[in-house]
Amino acid sequence: MKKTLNIDNQLLQEAKWACGAATNTETVRLGLEALVRRAAAERLRALLGSEPGAKDVPRRRSSKYI
């Protein structure tokens, strides 16, 4: 999808260098993905301790990780 954005060129170049992106499009995509991941992590962190009576969930591990 094409969008027209006004982005500071210096900021875009710094972001491109920081994430190792080859193109401006890849830089913006990686930045947006990082923003979405961070927001999800913050929502998950906000749930910490919200169910004090919850029991621990048993986890399965394959033998190669034991």
Side-chain angles (χ1 to χ4, degrees):
M1 170 186 327
K2 284 193 171 249
K3 296 286 179 191
T4 300
L5 304 171
N6 294 317
I7 302 173
D8 178 62
N9 194 44
Q10 181 65 31
L11 179 61
L12 183 61
Q13 293 308 312
E14 288 178 24
K16 188 189 258 187
W17 178 83
C19 68
T23 66
N24 292 343
T25 299
E26 184 181 9
T27 303
V28 172
R29 182 184 53 77
L30 289 171
L32 292 173
E33 287 174 356
L35 180 64
V36 169
R37 279 193 308 273
R38 181 177 177 184
E42 287 177 7
R43 287 192 306 272
L44 186 59
R45 195 174 312 118
L47 293 174
L48 182 64
S50 64
E51 290 289 332
K55 292 187 170 72
D56 194 20
V57 177
R59 309 246 195 276
R60 286 193 252 166
R61 285 188 172 174
S62 69
S63 60
K64 75 176 191 176
Y65 294 113
I66 295 177

